[in-house]
Amino acid sequence: MKVLNSWLHELLDAPVAPEAVAAAFDDLGTPVEEEVRLGEGLDGIVVAQVLALSVHPNADKIQLVDVDRGDGEPLQICCGAFNMAVGDKVPLATLGTTMPGGMKIERRKLRGEWSNGMLCSSRELGLGDEHAGIKVLPPELVAGTPITEALGIEPDVRWELEVNPNRPDAMSVAGLARDVAAKVGVGFHLPAPPSAAASIGEPVTWASSGPGGRSTAALPGGGELTIDVAAPDGCGRFVGRVLRGVDATAPSPEWLQHRLTELGMRPISALVDISNYVMLELGQPNHPYDLAKVAGATLRARRAKDGETLVTLDDVERTFTADDLLITDGDDVAVGIAGIMGGAACEISDATTDVLLEMAWFDPTSVSRSSRRLGLRSEASARFEKGVDPAIADLAADRFCQLAAEICGATTEPVQVDVRGTLPERPPVPVRTARVNALLGTDLSSERIAELLAPIGFATSLLEADVQVVTIPTWRYDSATEIDVVEEVGRHHGYRNIPNRELTEARAGRLTDLQKERRGVRRLFCGLGLAECQPLPFLAPGQLAAAGLDPGGIELVNPLVAEESVLRTALLPGLVAAVAHNHARRQLAVGLWEIGHVFLPAPDGQVLPDEREHAAVVLAGRDATAAVEAWQVLAEQLRLESPSVENAEVPGLHPTRSGRVLVDGVPFGIVGEIDPAVLARHSIGERVAYLEVDLGALFGAPRRSPAYRQISRFPSSDIDLAFEVPEAVSAVAVERTLAATDPLVWSVKLFDAYRGAPVAPDHRSLAFGLRLQAVDRTLTDAEVAEVRTRLIAAVEQAHQATLRG
Amino acid sequence: MIDDIRRIAAAATDRIAGAATLDELGALDRELLGKTSELSGFKRQMGGLDHEAKREVGGALNAAREAMAAAVAARRAELDAIARRAQAEAERLDLTEVRAGRDAGHLHLVTQTIEELEDVFVGLGFTVAEGPEVEDDWHNFTALNFGRYHPARDMQDTFFVDLGAEREVVMRTHTSPVQIRVMEGQAPPIYSIMPGRVYRNEATDSTHLAVFHQLECLVIDRGITFGHLAGTIDMFTKAYFGPGWNMRLRPAYFPFTEPSAEFDLQRPDGSWLELGGCGMVHPNVLRNCGIDPEEFSGFAFGFGLDRLAATKHGVTDLRELASTDIRFLEQF
């Protein structure tokens, strides 16, 4: 919302410095996003009259203009615009002027002809965006008059404010003025146009709902006006008036055009401009129809029929559903979308003489839903969505009629038809002084609270000791409960006046065990020399398949781009892409890791996906063994119970160099090398080792107890055993058998694997080093030999292995 | 005889000192001090001497033997040192040629920032809570007091997830749903922070990301006021940014807090940094989580992490944070 200091001050009882206004906006939760100083730098610009126009002898796009700058003497100007005629009044920047944009005007030659100043467009004057031609001034102005005096331009300030959804009042100049006046302690008044019509019906409060229905009144000027609210749930109030004898061709006055332009609206025609002016000033969107085009002088608010259509003012045909609220005429033909945009058919034109004026209150939710569904937002819908003041229609109608009389010579029929639908209930709210202070951390008295609330229209009366009944003003649709009032008290008391307090309760802050372990895993991966990366969790369609995985991932309904439309089911696709990115830049052998969420289909009966935290390590330029080693140190770090690896074909990984990682026989992830087919699809020309585990599950996997195993004081004995083992038997299985056969075995280490003669085909030789030890004695040779025999027997029996000679 | 002994000893000492190798020295040792040596011969001849002469010759023999043994030991030590030195020379290494095969690894900027912030809040007595990134409508919106057609939903550009039910499942638009999960799962008092990844369906540029990170702080207890909110933000600001930093609160609007505020931080140089939003937890939110707002009150504040992380290291384009380029990752 934009606002002018001059407009604001029309509604304030005393002047307030612009700096104080801006500070108040910030403190009140309508912060200033932009401040522009207007009407500065126009000294030296005067009204001039065009005396003669002639062709520039050496240029097509420049003409020579002789002007009178007030002294009667012709002054030659070279001008690139051709939109003025002899006799027009135009703004002239005289020699020596510094323009609002900073340009300095000097006497100079253009293609051989002297130019003694510059004729100005609106934009060059800082008076709008118009730059197509020179600004032609009203003919009654006198040549030589300074432009500021001629146009009544005074220095002004324009603020652009951020307005939150809970401040419907801040969508109008009046609402902003009321809030600022209360904050800085000056009086506030609404505009007071003469009352143009005798209203039928009671003054409006939040509680004054009606059943809707039809109301017709005879117009003294002839005919009848009918308002029909057929959808009282969508239209809380509908006020109609008729204006006669309108000169629709009368131009809007400069001041009005100027204000609309500054607040970001384009001047169109006097009636449309007045309509917009009233909306900006009082926050009441309204719509003037050409009465002659409204069948039966009737406006009706009803729900649309499915598939019903209307061409709106922007010449787009809109199609509706039964949820949308339409305005129709006496033939029940649509003439507008309630609260959003009027139709093209009943638009005001130069031929319009009689106007039917609509001032209504439409349900915020209804307008919001239609606006969103149609993809059509307007200044009107923005206001109705937040909740317009249902009581302001009478004043807004009077204001419209006042301006239409002044500008277009309109006379108003002294009749107002006012039909009530459903308005929301806003019963008075009991507000406890103790509650206010308990939430704000203040020590305000009931009287002080009342003083803070009164100027913004929250009327209070004392119910009992330190409980006040607060009436919510009609312009605060957002407010309904005690906490809303507490916020208003806080806002106007000032957040900066609330003293800081420290939390005093002693508490032990800590990370959970899981969070500490996750940090440990991060450090471990760093210790492997790897860099953490955080690629987007969104994948392109086909990216899962390209990584060799099941192509089915959960999809976004409304992705930003198709390349980011699928939720990852594994970290693998993102990390393969990461390696490919680096590989393409000749950054080989990169090592990366990631810990992040993956999203699997929702289990039956669940709304949310099966979301898991995975950890992955990718080692370009390394073979599968590097990934297995990474798993082994991870398992060691987490003290996993019986961690192991089993060879297996795993989607996305190398068919013969990959497998699963297990804890106590249960799989928790995959390990190995990335499938050469996947690497080829990503143009990666090096082996890539890969480990991905379900970290969240791993944190819950069985752990070794950190129990102490006694260290022997006696010498140990080492033996080496090599077996010929079938390929189908994993090395881990043999190692486990060796470790479990006798308690005298302190440690088992695989130190060699050999394939080839004389080892039988489909077998390999696995060589283990074992250290035997007893805690209470030195082992004798006989004891060692006995254990060795049992170890050999155990392995040969369990694994179809044979001891090598 | 004594003269012979002294002459032999003197000659032997010279020969020992001249030994060039350990082998030569060993041979000399055997020749000069062994059983067949000249000195041993003198010892055998001593049997015919009288007591006084025996004592004198014996003394001379012992002195000669000790002198020669000392010479052998000294020469052996010299030859050992020469051999060790030669061995050392043979295995010389130039340490300036050594390059580590790998570096110490790298934590991502955002992870570093989250850990630093967690440490600050843990120090202030908070725990850390987590939740899913795909959320249902209840946790992301409804429980947080967003009505179905509430205009505030427009403030949050939402990614909807295709799981059959229309508009029921979303990529969480903020970390606030974790507040709901904490309050649903735990009775007050609650002193927790919730860092995490969040998603907004808005076009990305150098200062806006569609996937970014937030951290929220939630306190629910008896007697918590807006003053505590301001005091806690101030304490956090000074703990994380430094003692020269200040903060201010400006009225704002969020459906899940009331009164609500934006909080700005003032740098020591006086300039302002708009950081995040905050407020007193809305009574409807407390009720939605089964907490009586008449008994308990609380506050929440939250802010984006990515800009903090990027600014700290002079990263001017936030989109770099999702980069997987090793040239970016290994800088931090």
Side-chain angles (χ1 to χ4, degrees), chain A residues 141-208:
Chain A
L141 299 184
V142 177
T145 317
I147 196 81
T148 50
E149 183 187 328
L151 294 182
I153 299 170
E154 286 173 17
D156 205 345
V157 186
R158 187 188 70 219
W159 292 287
E160 179 159 11
L161 308 176
E162 182 190 335
V163 177
N164 283 310
N166 67 332
R167 290 295 308 283
D169 61 314
M171 294 298 282
S172 70
V173 177
L176 290 168
R178 181 190 293 115
D179 213 31
V180 166
K183 188 73 177 175
V184 302
V186 303
F188 159 79
H189 59 270
L190 286 165
S195 182
S199 182
I200 55 172
E202 297 298 309
V204 170
T205 66
W206 283 119
S208 64

Side-chain angles (χ1 to χ4, degrees), chain A residues 628 631-632 643-647 658-662 671 730 732 736:
Chain A
V628 176
W631 158 248
Q632 286 165 347
S644 63
V645 171
E646 71 176 12
N647 294 319
S658 61
R660 294 191 190 85
V661 297
L662 307 104
V671 67
S730 82
V732 172
R736 282 231 186 96

